[in-house]
PDB file of all heavy atoms in Angstrom:
ATOM      1  N   THR A1670      -3.569  26.961 -66.961  1.00 90.00           N
ATOM      2  CA  THR A1670      -4.292  25.681 -66.929  1.00 90.00           C
ATOM      3  C   THR A1670      -5.685  25.804 -66.327  1.00 90.00           C
ATOM      4  O   THR A1670      -6.559  25.023 -66.667  1.00 90.00           O
ATOM      5  CB  THR A1670      -3.543  24.605 -66.130  1.00 90.00           C
ATOM      6  OG1 THR A1670      -3.048  25.186 -64.960  1.00 90.00           O
ATOM      7  CG2 THR A1670      -2.431  23.997 -66.921  1.00 90.00           C
ATOM      8  N   MET A1719      13.360  41.973 -96.051  1.00 77.00           N
ATOM      9  CA  MET A1719      13.603  40.552 -96.294  1.00 77.00           C
ATOM     10  C   MET A1719      14.951  40.088 -95.761  1.00 77.00           C
ATOM     11  O   MET A1719      15.845  39.681 -96.509  1.00 77.00           O
ATOM     12  CB  MET A1719      13.513  40.250 -97.798  1.00 77.00           C
ATOM     13  CG  MET A1719      12.139  40.562 -98.339  1.00 77.00           C
ATOM     14  SD  MET A1719      11.915  39.840 -99.948  1.00 77.00           S
ATOM     15  CE  MET A1719      10.245  40.310-100.299  1.00 77.00           C
ATOM     16  N   LEU A1720      15.109  40.192 -94.439  1.00 79.00           N
ATOM     17  CA  LEU A1720      16.360  39.767 -93.827  1.00 79.00           C
ATOM     18  C   LEU A1720      16.251  38.327 -93.349  1.00 79.00           C
ATOM     19  O   LEU A1720      15.152  37.808 -93.156  1.00 79.00           O
ATOM     20  CB  LEU A1720      16.672  40.658 -92.616  1.00 79.00           C
ATOM     21  CG  LEU A1720      16.739  42.150 -92.895  1.00 79.00           C
ATOM     22  CD1 LEU A1720      16.862  42.905 -91.584  1.00 79.00           C
ATOM     23  CD2 LEU A1720      17.911  42.459 -93.796  1.00 79.00           C
ATOM     24  N   LEU A1721      17.399  37.704 -93.161  1.00 76.00           N
ATOM     25  CA  LEU A1721      17.410  36.374 -92.547  1.00 76.00           C
ATOM     26  C   LEU A1721      16.964  36.499 -91.093  1.00 76.00           C
ATOM     27  O   LEU A1721      17.103  37.557 -90.470  1.00 76.00           O
ATOM     28  CB  LEU A1721      18.808  35.776 -92.617  1.00 76.00           C
ATOM     29  CG  LEU A1721      19.292  35.447 -94.026  1.00 76.00           C
ATOM     30  CD1 LEU A1721      20.732  35.010 -93.978  1.00 76.00           C
ATOM     31  CD2 LEU A1721      18.433  34.357 -94.644  1.00 76.00           C
ATOM     32  N   LEU A1722      16.479  35.379 -90.532  1.00 77.00           N
ATOM     33  CA  LEU A1722      15.831  35.436 -89.218  1.00 77.00           C
ATOM     34  C   LEU A1722      16.773  35.918 -88.113  1.00 77.00           C
ATOM     35  O   LEU A1722      16.450  36.842 -87.368  1.00 77.00           O
ATOM     36  CB  LEU A1722      15.267  34.061 -88.858  1.00 77.00           C
ATOM     37  CG  LEU A1722      14.655  34.001 -87.458  1.00 77.00           C
ATOM     38  CD1 LEU A1722      13.325  34.713 -87.418  1.00 77.00           C
ATOM     39  CD2 LEU A1722      14.474  32.567 -86.994  1.00 77.00           C
ATOM     40  N   ARG A1725      17.847  39.459 -88.271  1.00 85.00           N
ATOM     41  CA  ARG A1725      16.697  40.310 -88.007  1.00 85.00           C
ATOM     42  C   ARG A1725      16.411  40.362 -86.509  1.00 85.00           C
ATOM     43  O   ARG A1725      16.154  41.424 -85.949  1.00 85.00           O
ATOM     44  CB  ARG A1725      15.470  39.779 -88.762  1.00 85.00           C
ATOM     45  CG  ARG A1725      14.291  40.723 -88.689  1.00 85.00           C
ATOM     46  CD  ARG A1725      13.116  40.179 -89.452  1.00 85.00           C
ATOM     47  NE  ARG A1725      12.707  38.899 -88.913  1.00 85.00           N
ATOM     48  CZ  ARG A1725      12.357  37.852 -89.667  1.00 85.00           C
ATOM     49  NH1 ARG A1725      12.371  37.944 -90.971  1.00 85.00           N
ATOM     50  NH2 ARG A1725      12.008  36.727 -89.100  1.00 85.00           N
ATOM     51  N   GLU A1776       0.387  36.328 -89.224  1.00 73.00           N
ATOM     52  CA  GLU A1776      -0.251  35.042 -89.487  1.00 73.00           C
ATOM     53  C   GLU A1776      -1.714  35.045 -89.067  1.00 73.00           C
ATOM     54  O   GLU A1776      -2.572  34.549 -89.776  1.00 73.00           O
ATOM     55  CB  GLU A1776       0.477  33.927 -88.727  1.00 73.00           C
ATOM     56  CG  GLU A1776       1.914  33.723 -89.174  1.00 73.00           C
ATOM     57  CD  GLU A1776       1.987  32.974 -90.498  1.00 73.00           C
ATOM     58  OE1 GLU A1776       1.012  32.287 -90.827  1.00 73.00           O
ATOM     59  OE2 GLU A1776       3.014  33.086 -91.184  1.00 73.00           O
ATOM     60  N   ASN A1777      -1.976  35.547 -87.874  1.00 73.00           N
ATOM     61  CA  ASN A1777      -3.318  35.395 -87.315  1.00 73.00           C
ATOM     62  C   ASN A1777      -4.070  36.702 -87.197  1.00 73.00           C
ATOM     63  O   ASN A1777      -5.147  36.745 -86.625  1.00 73.00           O
ATOM     64  CB  ASN A1777      -3.257  34.733 -85.930  1.00 73.00           C
ATOM     65  CG  ASN A1777      -2.606  33.370 -85.995  1.00 73.00           C
ATOM     66  OD1 ASN A1777      -2.303  32.882 -87.071  1.00 73.00           O
ATOM     67  ND2 ASN A1777      -2.395  32.762 -84.850  1.00 73.00           N
ATOM     68  N   TYR A1829      -4.457  18.215 -63.481  1.00 89.00           N
ATOM     69  CA  TYR A1829      -5.846  18.690 -63.511  1.00 89.00           C
ATOM     70  C   TYR A1829      -6.427  18.460 -64.894  1.00 89.00           C
ATOM     71  O   TYR A1829      -5.858  18.902 -65.893  1.00 89.00           O
ATOM     72  CB  TYR A1829      -5.863  20.172 -63.128  1.00 89.00           C
ATOM     73  CG  TYR A1829      -7.189  20.865 -63.352  1.00 89.00           C
ATOM     74  CD1 TYR A1829      -8.242  20.662 -62.460  1.00 89.00           C
ATOM     75  CD2 TYR A1829      -7.395  21.710 -64.431  1.00 89.00           C
ATOM     76  CE1 TYR A1829      -9.458  21.288 -62.655  1.00 89.00           C
ATOM     77  CE2 TYR A1829      -8.614  22.336 -64.636  1.00 89.00           C
ATOM     78  CZ  TYR A1829      -9.635  22.118 -63.738  1.00 89.00           C
ATOM     79  OH  TYR A1829     -10.834  22.740 -63.933  1.00 89.00           O
ATOM     80  N   THR A1830      -7.534  17.744 -64.980  1.00 88.00           N
ATOM     81  CA  THR A1830      -8.101  17.464 -66.298  1.00 88.00           C
ATOM     82  C   THR A1830      -9.457  18.140 -66.478  1.00 88.00           C
ATOM     83  O   THR A1830     -10.169  17.855 -67.425  1.00 88.00           O
ATOM     84  CB  THR A1830      -8.270  15.950 -66.527  1.00 88.00           C
ATOM     85  OG1 THR A1830      -9.090  15.432 -65.473  1.00 88.00           O
ATOM     86  CG2 THR A1830      -6.946  15.238 -66.526  1.00 88.00           C
ATOM     87  N   TYR A1832     -12.161  21.491 -66.894  1.00 92.00           N
ATOM     88  CA  TYR A1832     -12.240  22.532 -67.910  1.00 92.00           C
ATOM     89  C   TYR A1832     -11.509  23.778 -67.469  1.00 92.00           C
ATOM     90  O   TYR A1832     -11.416  24.077 -66.292  1.00 92.00           O
ATOM     91  CB  TYR A1832     -13.709  22.875 -68.208  1.00 92.00           C
ATOM     92  CG  TYR A1832     -14.492  21.717 -68.758  1.00 92.00           C
ATOM     93  CD1 TYR A1832     -15.485  21.103 -68.017  1.00 92.00           C
ATOM     94  CD2 TYR A1832     -14.196  21.232 -70.019  1.00 92.00           C
ATOM     95  CE1 TYR A1832     -16.192  20.026 -68.524  1.00 92.00           C
ATOM     96  CE2 TYR A1832     -14.893  20.160 -70.533  1.00 92.00           C
ATOM     97  CZ  TYR A1832     -15.887  19.562 -69.785  1.00 92.00           C
ATOM     98  OH  TYR A1832     -16.561  18.501 -70.294  1.00 92.00           O
ATOM     99  N   ARG A1833     -10.989  24.497 -68.469  1.00 92.00           N
ATOM    100  CA  ARG A1833     -10.451  25.825 -68.202  1.00 92.00           C
ATOM    101  C   ARG A1833     -11.605  26.812 -68.226  1.00 92.00           C
ATOM    102  O   ARG A1833     -12.605  26.585 -68.904  1.00 92.00           O
ATOM    103  CB  ARG A1833      -9.434  26.203 -69.278  1.00 92.00           C
ATOM    104  CG  ARG A1833      -8.273  25.250 -69.314  1.00 92.00           C
ATOM    105  CD  ARG A1833      -7.357  25.557 -70.475  1.00 92.00           C
ATOM    106  NE  ARG A1833      -6.240  24.609 -70.474  1.00 92.00           N
ATOM    107  CZ  ARG A1833      -5.267  24.606 -71.353  1.00 92.00           C
ATOM    108  NH1 ARG A1833      -5.251  25.506 -72.309  1.00 92.00           N
ATOM    109  NH2 ARG A1833      -4.290  23.726 -71.279  1.00 92.00           N
ATOM    110  N   GLU A1836     -12.906  27.865 -71.491  1.00 89.00           N
ATOM    111  CA  GLU A1836     -13.640  26.842 -72.241  1.00 89.00           C
ATOM    112  C   GLU A1836     -15.128  26.871 -71.914  1.00 89.00           C
ATOM    113  O   GLU A1836     -15.955  26.472 -72.732  1.00 89.00           O
ATOM    114  CB  GLU A1836     -13.058  25.455 -71.957  1.00 89.00           C
ATOM    115  CG  GLU A1836     -11.721  25.262 -72.659  1.00 89.00           C
ATOM    116  CD  GLU A1836     -11.006  23.986 -72.267  1.00 89.00           C
ATOM    117  OE1 GLU A1836     -11.363  23.361 -71.246  1.00 89.00           O
ATOM    118  OE2 GLU A1836     -10.074  23.612 -72.974  1.00 89.00           O
ATOM    119  N   LEU A1837     -15.447  27.367 -70.711  1.00 89.00           N
ATOM    120  CA  LEU A1837     -16.860  27.470 -70.347  1.00 89.00           C
ATOM    121  C   LEU A1837     -17.546  28.451 -71.285  1.00 89.00           C
ATOM    122  O   LEU A1837     -18.730  28.324 -71.580  1.00 89.00           O
ATOM    123  CB  LEU A1837     -16.999  27.932 -68.895  1.00 89.00           C
ATOM    124  CG  LEU A1837     -16.398  27.009 -67.845  1.00 89.00           C
ATOM    125  CD1 LEU A1837     -16.711  27.523 -66.454  1.00 89.00           C
ATOM    126  CD2 LEU A1837     -16.928  25.592 -68.007  1.00 89.00           C
ATOM    127  N   ARG A1839     -16.064  29.286 -74.413  1.00 84.00           N
ATOM    128  CA  ARG A1839     -15.803  28.826 -75.770  1.00 84.00           C
ATOM    129  C   ARG A1839     -16.820  27.791 -76.225  1.00 84.00           C
ATOM    130  O   ARG A1839     -17.257  27.800 -77.367  1.00 84.00           O
ATOM    131  CB  ARG A1839     -14.395  28.250 -75.788  1.00 84.00           C
ATOM    132  CG  ARG A1839     -13.930  27.743 -77.125  1.00 84.00           C
ATOM    133  CD  ARG A1839     -12.515  27.209 -77.001  1.00 84.00           C
ATOM    134  NE  ARG A1839     -12.098  26.519 -78.198  1.00 84.00           N
ATOM    135  CZ  ARG A1839     -11.043  25.710 -78.249  1.00 84.00           C
ATOM    136  NH1 ARG A1839     -10.332  25.509 -77.157  1.00 84.00           N
ATOM    137  NH2 ARG A1839     -10.718  25.112 -79.348  1.00 84.00           N
ATOM    138  N   LYS A1841     -19.856  27.322 -74.989  1.00 79.00           N
ATOM    139  CA  LYS A1841     -21.196  27.575 -74.452  1.00 79.00           C
ATOM    140  C   LYS A1841     -22.285  27.235 -75.470  1.00 79.00           C
ATOM    141  O   LYS A1841     -23.378  26.837 -75.115  1.00 79.00           O
ATOM    142  CB  LYS A1841     -21.332  29.030 -74.003  1.00 79.00           C
ATOM    143  CG  LYS A1841     -21.301  30.041 -75.149  1.00 79.00           C
ATOM    144  CD  LYS A1841     -21.569  31.437 -74.611  1.00 79.00           C
ATOM    145  CE  LYS A1841     -21.840  32.425 -75.713  1.00 79.00           C
ATOM    146  NZ  LYS A1841     -20.768  32.576 -76.699  1.00 79.00           N
ATOM    147  N   ASP A1842     -21.956  27.355 -76.769  1.00 71.00           N
ATOM    148  CA  ASP A1842     -22.962  27.085 -77.788  1.00 71.00           C
ATOM    149  C   ASP A1842     -23.297  25.608 -77.892  1.00 71.00           C
ATOM    150  O   ASP A1842     -24.295  25.228 -78.486  1.00 71.00           O
ATOM    151  CB  ASP A1842     -22.490  27.588 -79.146  1.00 71.00           C
ATOM    152  CG  ASP A1842     -22.518  29.102 -79.197  1.00 71.00           C
ATOM    153  OD1 ASP A1842     -23.288  29.681 -78.408  1.00 71.00           O
ATOM    154  OD2 ASP A1842     -21.779  29.697 -79.993  1.00 71.00           O
ATOM    155  N   GLN A1844     -24.363  23.707 -75.743  1.00 49.00           N
ATOM    156  CA  GLN A1844     -25.628  23.354 -75.096  1.00 49.00           C
ATOM    157  C   GLN A1844     -26.808  23.868 -75.924  1.00 49.00           C
ATOM    158  O   GLN A1844     -27.885  23.335 -75.870  1.00 49.00           O
ATOM    159  CB  GLN A1844     -25.674  23.918 -73.686  1.00 49.00           C
ATOM    160  CG  GLN A1844     -25.549  25.423 -73.654  1.00 49.00           C
ATOM    161  CD  GLN A1844     -25.715  25.951 -72.260  1.00 49.00           C
ATOM    162  OE1 GLN A1844     -26.013  25.208 -71.341  1.00 49.00           O
ATOM    163  NE2 GLN A1844     -25.526  27.241 -72.091  1.00 49.00           N
TER     164      GLN A1844
ATOM    165  N   PHE U 664     -23.918  33.672 -71.007  1.00 78.00           N
ATOM    166  CA  PHE U 664     -22.608  34.042 -71.494  1.00 78.00           C
ATOM    167  C   PHE U 664     -21.613  32.871 -71.352  1.00 78.00           C
ATOM    168  O   PHE U 664     -20.592  32.827 -71.989  1.00 78.00           O
ATOM    169  CB  PHE U 664     -22.173  35.271 -70.689  1.00 78.00           C
ATOM    170  CG  PHE U 664     -20.756  35.657 -70.854  1.00 78.00           C
ATOM    171  CD1 PHE U 664     -20.283  36.065 -72.103  1.00 78.00           C
ATOM    172  CD2 PHE U 664     -19.873  35.632 -69.782  1.00 78.00           C
ATOM    173  CE1 PHE U 664     -18.963  36.442 -72.267  1.00 78.00           C
ATOM    174  CE2 PHE U 664     -18.557  36.001 -69.950  1.00 78.00           C
ATOM    175  CZ  PHE U 664     -18.105  36.410 -71.189  1.00 78.00           C
ATOM    176  N   SER U 666     -21.191  28.392 -69.924  1.00 83.00           N
ATOM    177  CA  SER U 666     -21.816  27.157 -69.455  1.00 83.00           C
ATOM    178  C   SER U 666     -21.171  26.751 -68.145  1.00 83.00           C
ATOM    179  O   SER U 666     -20.025  27.125 -67.881  1.00 83.00           O
ATOM    180  CB  SER U 666     -21.588  26.031 -70.458  1.00 83.00           C
ATOM    181  OG  SER U 666     -22.059  26.393 -71.717  1.00 83.00           O
ATOM    182  N   GLU U 670     -22.643  21.287 -67.198  1.00 86.00           N
ATOM    183  CA  GLU U 670     -23.307  21.243 -68.497  1.00 86.00           C
ATOM    184  C   GLU U 670     -22.353  20.735 -69.575  1.00 86.00           C
ATOM    185  O   GLU U 670     -22.730  19.915 -70.410  1.00 86.00           O
ATOM    186  CB  GLU U 670     -23.809  22.643 -68.874  1.00 86.00           C
ATOM    187  CG  GLU U 670     -25.056  23.049 -68.108  1.00 86.00           C
ATOM    188  CD  GLU U 670     -25.336  24.546 -68.187  1.00 86.00           C
ATOM    189  OE1 GLU U 670     -24.427  25.316 -68.569  1.00 86.00           O
ATOM    190  OE2 GLU U 670     -26.451  24.945 -67.864  1.00 86.00           O
ATOM    191  N   ARG U 674     -22.598  17.366 -71.925  1.00 85.00           N
ATOM    192  CA  ARG U 674     -22.504  17.374 -73.379  1.00 85.00           C
ATOM    193  C   ARG U 674     -21.297  16.599 -73.869  1.00 85.00           C
ATOM    194  O   ARG U 674     -21.065  16.513 -75.060  1.00 85.00           O
ATOM    195  CB  ARG U 674     -22.415  18.813 -73.909  1.00 85.00           C
ATOM    196  CG  ARG U 674     -23.677  19.610 -73.746  1.00 85.00           C
ATOM    197  CD  ARG U 674     -24.776  19.106 -74.663  1.00 85.00           C
ATOM    198  NE  ARG U 674     -24.352  19.110 -76.060  1.00 85.00           N
ATOM    199  CZ  ARG U 674     -24.855  18.294 -76.990  1.00 85.00           C
ATOM    200  NH1 ARG U 674     -25.760  17.401 -76.655  1.00 85.00           N
ATOM    201  NH2 ARG U 674     -24.432  18.347 -78.226  1.00 85.00           N
ATOM    202  N   VAL U 676     -18.133  17.430 -73.559  1.00 91.00           N
ATOM    203  CA  VAL U 676     -17.096  18.299 -74.130  1.00 91.00           C
ATOM    204  C   VAL U 676     -15.739  17.925 -73.544  1.00 91.00           C
ATOM    205  O   VAL U 676     -15.594  17.748 -72.342  1.00 91.00           O
ATOM    206  CB  VAL U 676     -17.407  19.780 -73.838  1.00 91.00           C
ATOM    207  CG1 VAL U 676     -16.248  20.660 -74.255  1.00 91.00           C
ATOM    208  CG2 VAL U 676     -18.673  20.198 -74.557  1.00 91.00           C
ATOM    209  N   MET U 679      -9.143  21.213 -72.830  1.00 91.00           N
ATOM    210  CA  MET U 679      -7.733  21.187 -73.222  1.00 91.00           C
ATOM    211  C   MET U 679      -6.893  20.382 -72.227  1.00 91.00           C
ATOM    212  O   MET U 679      -6.041  19.575 -72.615  1.00 91.00           O
ATOM    213  CB  MET U 679      -7.217  22.632 -73.289  1.00 91.00           C
ATOM    214  CG  MET U 679      -5.834  22.768 -73.854  1.00 91.00           C
ATOM    215  SD  MET U 679      -5.733  22.313 -75.580  1.00 91.00           S
ATOM    216  CE  MET U 679      -6.181  23.856 -76.367  1.00 91.00           C
ATOM    217  N   ASN U 680      -7.130  20.584 -70.933  1.00 91.00           N
ATOM    218  CA  ASN U 680      -6.317  19.887 -69.928  1.00 91.00           C
ATOM    219  C   ASN U 680      -6.523  18.388 -70.008  1.00 91.00           C
ATOM    220  O   ASN U 680      -5.577  17.611 -69.931  1.00 91.00           O
ATOM    221  CB  ASN U 680      -6.679  20.383 -68.525  1.00 91.00           C
ATOM    222  CG  ASN U 680      -6.269  21.824 -68.306  1.00 91.00           C
ATOM    223  OD1 ASN U 680      -5.262  22.261 -68.846  1.00 91.00           O
ATOM    224  ND2 ASN U 680      -7.052  22.537 -67.533  1.00 91.00           N
ATOM    225  N   GLN U 681      -7.778  17.992 -70.140  1.00 92.00           N
ATOM    226  CA  GLN U 681      -8.068  16.565 -70.187  1.00 92.00           C
ATOM    227  C   GLN U 681      -7.532  15.946 -71.474  1.00 92.00           C
ATOM    228  O   GLN U 681      -7.022  14.832 -71.464  1.00 92.00           O
ATOM    229  CB  GLN U 681      -9.572  16.315 -70.069  1.00 92.00           C
ATOM    230  CG  GLN U 681      -9.870  14.835 -69.884  1.00 92.00           C
ATOM    231  CD  GLN U 681     -11.315  14.577 -69.532  1.00 92.00           C
ATOM    232  OE1 GLN U 681     -12.170  15.437 -69.730  1.00 92.00           O
ATOM    233  NE2 GLN U 681     -11.592  13.407 -69.013  1.00 92.00           N
ATOM    234  N   GLU U 726      20.400  27.023 -97.272  1.00 86.00           N
ATOM    235  CA  GLU U 726      20.193  28.330 -97.889  1.00 86.00           C
ATOM    236  C   GLU U 726      20.568  28.310 -99.388  1.00 86.00           C
ATOM    237  O   GLU U 726      19.884  28.892-100.216  1.00 86.00           O
ATOM    238  CB  GLU U 726      21.037  29.358 -97.125  1.00 86.00           C
ATOM    239  CG  GLU U 726      20.594  30.789 -97.281  1.00 86.00           C
ATOM    240  CD  GLU U 726      19.306  31.110 -96.510  1.00 86.00           C
ATOM    241  OE1 GLU U 726      18.959  30.393 -95.536  1.00 86.00           O
ATOM    242  OE2 GLU U 726      18.647  32.058 -96.905  1.00 86.00           O
ATOM    243  N   ASN U 753       0.708  27.741 -90.375  1.00 80.00           N
ATOM    244  CA  ASN U 753       1.557  28.908 -90.563  1.00 80.00           C
ATOM    245  C   ASN U 753       2.680  28.618 -91.557  1.00 80.00           C
ATOM    246  O   ASN U 753       3.205  27.522 -91.610  1.00 80.00           O
ATOM    247  CB  ASN U 753       2.170  29.335 -89.226  1.00 80.00           C
ATOM    248  CG  ASN U 753       1.123  29.961 -88.330  1.00 80.00           C
ATOM    249  OD1 ASN U 753       0.075  30.392 -88.801  1.00 80.00           O
ATOM    250  ND2 ASN U 753       1.407  29.991 -87.039  1.00 80.00           N
ATOM    251  N   HIS U 781      12.678  34.573-100.287  1.00 90.00           N
ATOM    252  CA  HIS U 781      12.759  35.077 -98.906  1.00 90.00           C
ATOM    253  C   HIS U 781      11.871  34.258 -97.974  1.00 90.00           C
ATOM    254  O   HIS U 781      12.255  33.939 -96.851  1.00 90.00           O
ATOM    255  CB  HIS U 781      12.349  36.543 -98.859  1.00 90.00           C
ATOM    256  CG  HIS U 781      12.323  37.112 -97.485  1.00 90.00           C
ATOM    257  ND1 HIS U 781      13.452  37.186 -96.704  1.00 90.00           N
ATOM    258  CD2 HIS U 781      11.313  37.588 -96.724  1.00 90.00           C
ATOM    259  CE1 HIS U 781      13.140  37.705 -95.539  1.00 90.00           C
ATOM    260  NE2 HIS U 781      11.845  37.956 -95.516  1.00 90.00           N
ATOM    261  N   SER U 784      13.597  31.178 -97.209  1.00 90.00           N
ATOM    262  CA  SER U 784      14.695  31.446 -96.283  1.00 90.00           C
ATOM    263  C   SER U 784      14.177  31.584 -94.847  1.00 90.00           C
ATOM    264  O   SER U 784      14.793  31.096 -93.896  1.00 90.00           O
ATOM    265  CB  SER U 784      15.413  32.714 -96.743  1.00 90.00           C
ATOM    266  OG  SER U 784      16.157  33.243 -95.689  1.00 90.00           O
ATOM    267  N   SER U 788      15.232  29.270 -91.574  1.00 85.00           N
ATOM    268  CA  SER U 788      15.783  29.770 -90.307  1.00 85.00           C
ATOM    269  C   SER U 788      14.876  29.452 -89.123  1.00 85.00           C
ATOM    270  O   SER U 788      15.200  29.782 -87.986  1.00 85.00           O
ATOM    271  CB  SER U 788      16.037  31.267 -90.403  1.00 85.00           C
ATOM    272  OG  SER U 788      14.875  31.916 -90.847  1.00 85.00           O
ATOM    273  N   MET U 790      11.503  30.184 -88.623  1.00 82.00           N
ATOM    274  CA  MET U 790      10.511  31.174 -88.219  1.00 82.00           C
ATOM    275  C   MET U 790       9.145  30.539 -87.914  1.00 82.00           C
ATOM    276  O   MET U 790       8.408  31.024 -87.070  1.00 82.00           O
ATOM    277  CB  MET U 790      10.363  32.186 -89.335  1.00 82.00           C
ATOM    278  CG  MET U 790       9.474  33.342 -89.017  1.00 82.00           C
ATOM    279  SD  MET U 790       9.829  34.681 -90.174  1.00 82.00           S
ATOM    280  CE  MET U 790       8.310  35.570 -90.075  1.00 82.00           C
ATOM    281  N   TYR U 791       8.838  29.460 -88.604  1.00 83.00           N
ATOM    282  CA  TYR U 791       7.498  28.876 -88.420  1.00 83.00           C
ATOM    283  C   TYR U 791       7.527  27.554 -87.665  1.00 83.00           C
ATOM    284  O   TYR U 791       6.507  26.935 -87.449  1.00 83.00           O
ATOM    285  CB  TYR U 791       6.841  28.641 -89.784  1.00 83.00           C
ATOM    286  CG  TYR U 791       6.786  29.886 -90.615  1.00 83.00           C
ATOM    287  CD1 TYR U 791       7.678  30.093 -91.654  1.00 83.00           C
ATOM    288  CD2 TYR U 791       5.842  30.871 -90.328  1.00 83.00           C
ATOM    289  CE1 TYR U 791       7.636  31.243 -92.407  1.00 83.00           C
ATOM    290  CE2 TYR U 791       5.801  32.032 -91.072  1.00 83.00           C
ATOM    291  CZ  TYR U 791       6.701  32.218 -92.107  1.00 83.00           C
ATOM    292  OH  TYR U 791       6.654  33.375 -92.843  1.00 83.00           O
ATOM    293  N   GLN U 852      -8.350  31.345 -87.110  1.00 76.00           N
ATOM    294  CA  GLN U 852      -7.983  32.440 -88.002  1.00 76.00           C
ATOM    295  C   GLN U 852      -9.190  32.924 -88.803  1.00 76.00           C
ATOM    296  O   GLN U 852      -9.060  33.813 -89.644  1.00 76.00           O
ATOM    297  CB  GLN U 852      -6.884  31.987 -88.965  1.00 76.00           C
ATOM    298  CG  GLN U 852      -5.556  31.780 -88.249  1.00 76.00           C
ATOM    299  CD  GLN U 852      -4.503  31.165 -89.132  1.00 76.00           C
ATOM    300  OE1 GLN U 852      -4.778  30.809 -90.260  1.00 76.00           O
ATOM    301  NE2 GLN U 852      -3.309  31.051 -88.602  1.00 76.00           N
ATOM    302  N   ASN U 873     -17.166  31.400 -83.786  1.00 75.00           N
ATOM    303  CA  ASN U 873     -18.037  31.112 -82.643  1.00 75.00           C
ATOM    304  C   ASN U 873     -19.516  31.340 -82.893  1.00 75.00           C
ATOM    305  O   ASN U 873     -20.323  31.239 -81.975  1.00 75.00           O
ATOM    306  CB  ASN U 873     -17.622  31.912 -81.397  1.00 75.00           C
ATOM    307  CG  ASN U 873     -16.327  31.373 -80.819  1.00 75.00           C
ATOM    308  OD1 ASN U 873     -16.055  30.174 -80.937  1.00 75.00           O
ATOM    309  ND2 ASN U 873     -15.542  32.240 -80.223  1.00 75.00           N
ATOM    310  N   ASN U 937     -11.571  22.479 -81.533  1.00 87.00           N
ATOM    311  CA  ASN U 937     -12.614  23.205 -82.257  1.00 87.00           C
ATOM    312  C   ASN U 937     -13.586  22.296 -82.982  1.00 87.00           C
ATOM    313  O   ASN U 937     -14.716  22.676 -83.250  1.00 87.00           O
ATOM    314  CB  ASN U 937     -11.964  24.139 -83.270  1.00 87.00           C
ATOM    315  CG  ASN U 937     -11.636  25.468 -82.645  1.00 87.00           C
ATOM    316  OD1 ASN U 937     -12.393  25.948 -81.814  1.00 87.00           O
ATOM    317  ND2 ASN U 937     -10.519  26.036 -83.019  1.00 87.00           N
ATOM    318  N   GLN U 939     -15.246  20.086 -81.967  1.00 90.00           N
ATOM    319  CA  GLN U 939     -16.463  19.902 -81.174  1.00 90.00           C
ATOM    320  C   GLN U 939     -17.491  20.970 -81.486  1.00 90.00           C
ATOM    321  O   GLN U 939     -18.696  20.723 -81.493  1.00 90.00           O
ATOM    322  CB  GLN U 939     -16.132  19.931 -79.676  1.00 90.00           C
ATOM    323  CG  GLN U 939     -15.134  18.869 -79.283  1.00 90.00           C
ATOM    324  CD  GLN U 939     -14.793  18.904 -77.818  1.00 90.00           C
ATOM    325  OE1 GLN U 939     -15.185  18.050 -77.047  1.00 90.00           O
ATOM    326  NE2 GLN U 939     -14.067  19.925 -77.412  1.00 90.00           N
TER     327      GLN U 939
END
Side-chain angles (χ1 to χ4, degrees):
Chain A
T1670 43
M1719 298 194 178
L1720 304 172
L1721 293 174
L1722 176 74
R1725 188 179 60 222
E1776 296 283 338
N1777 301 354
Y1829 170 77
T1830 57
Y1832 298 111
R1833 299 174 180 180
E1836 286 172 344
L1837 299 185
R1839 181 180 171 196
K1841 68 175 192 301
D1842 288 337
Q1844 60 175 355
Chain U
F664 169 63
S666 304
E670 284 164 344
R674 291 290 304 154
V676 172
M679 188 66 86
N680 292 327
Q681 189 170 18
E726 201 73 22
N753 288 341
H781 177 62
S784 161
S788 52
M790 186 161 157
Y791 305 102
Q852 290 173 355
N873 288 329
N937 273 324
Q939 302 179 108

